């Protein structure tokens, strides 16, 4: 590991000082002069017609300033929250896009849907007054189960979507796949449930909307992962405002995991209402509101088949998925179970033909959208559970079966049958490293030891792949994306030699202030402490697309790298003038401009100073040293690796103990290995949470959210998790300037399959996630009974 | 409205509060000590942990009035004379935080652990922290930091 502060060094984080001393500044920590508080009255019903709303008693309550409903927003021309990705179904039709108004107009469609907004001098007054609003509901039958959504007789969530179908979509050659399956030596079949998750960033969402009548402009403080994208959606689609009149500030944000990408009803309403009441309007979600109304994740039911020849060589894969999108389309809901899912079904393997059909449906549940991994954990879960099951059925060691089918090292760039071209990888290397770290050779003895103690031991693999560095704009545009997915950077030398970097990426835990500083410090040869990273404020940064899809370093970092290159090019012209040399003879080395073959040299700081005090300066060159760059990636990046989980189950209690976890990941070049390992740890924990503990449950009859608090929704705690063994291989990305691939989602993508493969190996029987103690105990008991 | 007096981070404060005001809201809103966070409404997440008379408590689970006469220490009061508390330093050194939102509560809880058990095992650390959620770190580096702080390194 390199010493110092350059690329590759485990630099301690610059941002930590404020967080460890209580000086972080999150949205709820901000108070604006004259601020008032918003509280949302939410639907208690999963499905109902709103016949009338009488808010007169609430309006008369102490401290109440206003009560707004969907009718007030409608009168002001407030639009629908849009879905930004058009998926074309298998018949060539665009997906069904029913309106999604911030406050409902005539119907509520899930428990937690937004009925009215109360604004009062204090939060307690707003909450109290909301209880005095009388809503006349006519309850309607509800459905929360995606697999039942298309059935005749199932309640219709939207008139615009017959059979509750948003789209029936396909990818791949169905005829070729069916033929290969028909002629195969063996076909392994699985049915898998990818459980619905509630993201649960520990900071709840919050917003402060503010209106300045003097300039007729708005400021929105928001817990956003992408302030410009939020502004774009708010202005262009919902509120109909010019972007010049709206500033969005996303200050310190306490975790996102996807749930803070979207433009939600609450921040929209706070922004709109700020003008109505001419006071700043603040809203902070109670955790119970986060459970009800944050965008949820996953919720797939999948039937999958893998066809093999007699040696276990994969011949074809067929996947049928039902994806529950909830009651409305969140901003990117449509692309998650399609282009971020089916395109990854080749995994790390050379499966020649693959077919995937996805039926995406509406139900009376909270909207579902991207959650850490977004489609790729679902794909990995299908592929890696299927492969492990195939290994068991074929009697082939699961590591060996994978190796027989890996895309070989010399096959890159590798075109898969599901649209993607993998850029680079060494899948066998990561597997071998993982086998060593996990002491796979010693597993049989450990299993025997567990047996001797009456315990069940299992081991499970997950050789995952993901498409990150989202994304080449032309490619995603051709697939229906409504936006470009480039990133921007501005690198500004200040006159005294410090550097301000303005990035469109947003850090909500990823450590950009450190990683990006390392990148700039290393590239420009200036001390780390002389670099500041500015992000999260549309009033300060260039238009940027924000942080999700493990894109910040691969796309945002590449933009910074390009801007630094431009700085160096301009610096050469200034330095050449100062040293009376030809520009062609000037080289940049470790922070100094030198004239080749001489001892003439000018430090970066001297050149920056000359740019701002241009007394002795090239005639035809603009003063100043500040460069903008936009970077649009040529391809996705493809991080990949192998995780191995080992568990020991107590059949008498059903408790699963994770006794070993090995992760060997290939993220390409690594800028800060400490931060990267931290991302891996956190990702694994979220994947373990999904596999072992977490699961969103709605009551099938009433549509009530059963897991609506931390008393009911089982978050992974310190005691549920082991320490992890993390290794890395390094296969640089060949198409971005840094060679980086992205690391934020890998753990969450790899972990569920590894853990469920281990648990089902130990039990000898299939169970679905979450493999909580009750399910595991029942499975262990049924196996015991069957053996007796 | 009732009046409440207590010592917060060494300073004596007296304020009028509504009877239903929680200690965490008193700290955040009336004293502007926003380092103590609110992450849930069921006393599960631990983002609001402070010390009350030297012991860790969830400040969302106490009324401000219940802290009458008490000594309260928040994350803002942990460092002294510009020197980080060893637990704060260990969190930074071992990358035990990412988004930072759970961090104040996590640190305050971990400090109290070492007051009770100067050299806890990994299992004891994980059990003690069961009342503090972290969604970012997977707890791996938090455990390392607490171990390091307990060993004075």
């Amino acid at each position: 590991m390199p010493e110092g502060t350059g690329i590759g060094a485990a630099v301690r984080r610059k941002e930590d000082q404020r967080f460890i001393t209580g000086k972080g500044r999150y949205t709820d920590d901000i108070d604006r002069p004259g601020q008032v508080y918003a509280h949302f009255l939410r639907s208690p019903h999963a499905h109902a017609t709103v016949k009338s709303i009488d808010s007169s008693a609430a309006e008369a309550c102490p401290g109440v300033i206003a009560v707004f409903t969907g009718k007030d927003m409608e009168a002001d021309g407030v639009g629908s929250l849009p879905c930004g990705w058009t998926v074309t179904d298998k018949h060539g039709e665009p997906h069904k896009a029913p309106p999604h108004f911030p406050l409902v107009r005539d119907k509520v469609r899930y428990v937690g849907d937004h009925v009215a907004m109360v604004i009062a001098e204090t939060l307690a007054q707003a909450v109290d007054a909301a209880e005095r609003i009388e809503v006349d509901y006519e309850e309607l039958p509800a459905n929360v189960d995606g697999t039942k959504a298309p059935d005749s007789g199932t309640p219709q969530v939207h008139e615009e979507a017959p059979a509750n179908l948003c789209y029936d979509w396909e990818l791949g050659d169905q005829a070729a796949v069916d033929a290969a399956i028909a002629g195969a030596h063996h076909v392994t079949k699985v049915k898998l449930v990818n459980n619905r998750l509630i993201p649960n960033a520990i900071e709840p969402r919050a917003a402060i909307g503010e209106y300045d009548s003097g300039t007729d402009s708005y400021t929105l403080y928001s817990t956003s992962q992408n302030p410009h994208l939020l502004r774009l959606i708010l202005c262009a689609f919902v509120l109909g405002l010019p972007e010049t009149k709206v500033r969005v500030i996303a200050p310190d944000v306490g975790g996102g995991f996807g749930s803070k990408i979207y433009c939600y009803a609450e921040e929209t309403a706070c922004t709109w209402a700020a003008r109505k009441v001419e006071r700043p309007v603040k809203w902070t979600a109670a955790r119970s509101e986060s459970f009800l109304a944050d965008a949820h994740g996953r919720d797939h039911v999948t039937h999958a088949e893998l066809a093999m020849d007699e040696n276990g060589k994969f011949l074809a894969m067929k996947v049928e998925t039902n994806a529950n999108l909830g009651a409305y389309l969140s901003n990117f809901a449509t692309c998650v179970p399609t282009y971020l899912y089916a395109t990854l079904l080749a995994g790390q393997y050379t499966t020649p033909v693959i077919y995937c059909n996805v039926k995406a449906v509406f139900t009376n549940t909270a909207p579902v959208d991207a959650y850490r991994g977004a489609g790729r954990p679902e794909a990995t879960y299908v592929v890696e559970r299927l492969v492990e099951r195939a290994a068991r059925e074929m009697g082939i060691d699961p590591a060996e079966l994978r190796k027989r089918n890996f895309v070989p090292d010399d096959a890159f760039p590798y075109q898969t049958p599901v649209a993607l071209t993998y850029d680079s990888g060494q899948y066998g290397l990561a597997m071998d490293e993982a086998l060593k770290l996990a002491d796979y050779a010693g597993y049989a003895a450990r299993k025997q030891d567990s047996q001797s103690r009456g315990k069940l031991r299992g081991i499970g693999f997950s050789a995952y792949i993901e498409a990150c560095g989202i994304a080449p704009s032309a490619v995603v545009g051709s697939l229906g994306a409504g936006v470009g997915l480039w990133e921007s950077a501005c690198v500004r030398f200040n006159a005294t030699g410090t550097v301000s970097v303005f990035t469109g990426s947003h850090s909500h835990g990823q450590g950009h202030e450190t990683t990006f500083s390392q990148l700039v410090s290393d590239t420009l040869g200036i001390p780390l402490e002389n670099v500041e990273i500015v992000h999260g404020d549309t009033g300060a940064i260039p238009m940027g697309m924000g942080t999700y899809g493990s894109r910040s370093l691969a796309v945002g970092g590449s933009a910074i790298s390009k801007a630094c290159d431009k700085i160096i090019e301009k610096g050469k012209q200034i330095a050449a003038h100062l040293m009376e040399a030809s520009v062609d003879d000037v080289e940049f080395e470790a922070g100094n401009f030198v004239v080749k073959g001489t001892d003439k040299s000018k430090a970066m700081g001297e050149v920056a100073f000359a740019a701002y005090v241009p007394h002795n300066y090239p005639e035809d060159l603009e003063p100043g040293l500040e460069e903008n760059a936009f970077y649009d990636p040529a391809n996705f990046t493809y991080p990949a690796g192998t995780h191995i989980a080992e568990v020991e189950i107590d059949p008498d209690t059903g408790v699963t103990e994770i006794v070993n976890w090995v992760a060997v990941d290939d993220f390409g070049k690594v800028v800060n290995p400490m931060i990267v390992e931290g991302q891996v740890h956190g990702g694994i924990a979220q994947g373990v949470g999904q596999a072992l503990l977490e699961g969103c449950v709605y009551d099938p009859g009433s549509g009530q959210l059963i897991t609506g608090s931390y008393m009911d929704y089982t978050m992974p705690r310190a005691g549920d998790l082991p320490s992890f063994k993390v290794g890395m291989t390094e296969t640089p990305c060949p198409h971005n300037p840094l060679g980086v691939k992205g690391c934020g989602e890998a753990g969450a993508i790899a972990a569920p399959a590894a853990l469920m493969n281990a648990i089902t190996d130990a039990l000898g029987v299939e169970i679905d996630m979450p493999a909580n103690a009750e399910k595991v105990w029942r499975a262990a008991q049924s196996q015991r009974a069957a053996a007796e | 409205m009732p009046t409440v007096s207590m010592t917060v981070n060494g300073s004596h404060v007296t304020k009028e509060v509504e009877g239903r005001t929680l200690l965490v809201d008193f700290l955040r809103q009336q004293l502007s000590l926003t380092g103590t966070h609110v992450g849930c409404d069921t006393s599960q997440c631990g983002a609001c942990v402070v010390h009350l008379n030297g012991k860790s408590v969830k400040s969302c689970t106490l009324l401000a009035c219940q802290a009458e006469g008490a000594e309260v220490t928040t994350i803002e009061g942990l460092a002294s004379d510009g020197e980080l508390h060893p637990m704060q330093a260990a969190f930074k050194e071992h990358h035990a935080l990412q988004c930072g939102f759970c961090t104040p509560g996590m640190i305050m809880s971990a400090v109290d652990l070492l007051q009770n058990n100067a050299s806890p095992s990994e299992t004891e650390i994980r059990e003690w922290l069961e009342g503090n959620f972290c969604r970012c770190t997977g707890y791996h580096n938090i455990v390392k930091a607490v171990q390091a702080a307990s060993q004075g390194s």
Side-chain angles (χ1 to χ4, degrees), chain B residues 68-141:
Chain B
E68 174 66 35
E71 296 262 352
V72 175
T73 306
T74 71
I75 188 70
E76 290 93 341
L78 200 57
S80 59
D81 302 329
E83 281 283 308
L84 292 176
H85 184 281
M87 189 63 73
Q88 291 171 309
F91 266 59
K92 176 169 182 166
E93 176 62 22
H94 295 278
H95 187 35
L97 63 149
Q98 292 181 24
C99 81
F101 195 80
C102 77
T103 307
M106 199 66 83
I107 288 175
M108 297 308 285
S109 187
V111 167
D112 193 23
L113 165 61
L114 297 195
Q115 289 171 178
N116 284 276
N117 179 353
S119 52
S121 67
E122 175 172 346
T123 303
E124 287 171 330
I125 293 169
R126 289 181 181 275
E127 282 175 0
W128 179 273
L129 294 177
E130 68 146 21
N132 292 79
F133 290 170
C134 173
R135 196 57 153 167
C136 294
T137 65
Y139 305 99
H140 179 111
N141 284 341

Side-chain angles (χ1 to χ4, degrees), chain A residues 502-580:
Chain A
F502 303 85
T503 171
S505 300
H506 184 275
S507 184
H508 30 281
Q510 293 87 346
H512 294 168
E513 287 168 46
T514 305
T515 303
F516 289 169
S517 292
Q518 284 179 259
L519 170 58
V520 171
S521 162
D522 197 295
T523 308
L524 297 178
I526 54 170
L528 188 80
E529 58 271 23
N530 285 2
V531 184
E532 70 159 343
I533 305 295
V534 180
H535 70 99
D537 180 353
T538 62
I541 60 173
M543 169 85 181
M545 297 310 291
T547 289
Y548 38 82
S550 303
R551 71 191 303 271
S552 291
L553 189 57
V555 189
S558 292
I560 293 171
S561 173
K562 277 185 67 178
C564 287
D565 290 346
K566 290 184 185 178
I567 290 275
I568 292 168
E569 286 312 303
K570 184 169 181 180
K572 280 182 182 173
Q573 295 181 60
I574 301 167
H577 179 88
L578 293 175
M579 296 186 286
E580 297 177 338

Side-chain angles (χ1 to χ4, degrees), chain A residues 12-13 20 26 29 287 694, chain B residues 28 39 88 93 98-99:
Chain A
R12 301 306 186 262
R13 298 202 320 171
I20 58 180
Y26 302 89
D29 299 339
R287 177 58 57 185
E694 297 178 47
Chain B
R28 287 179 57 78
Q88 291 171 309
E93 176 62 22
Q98 292 181 24
C99 81

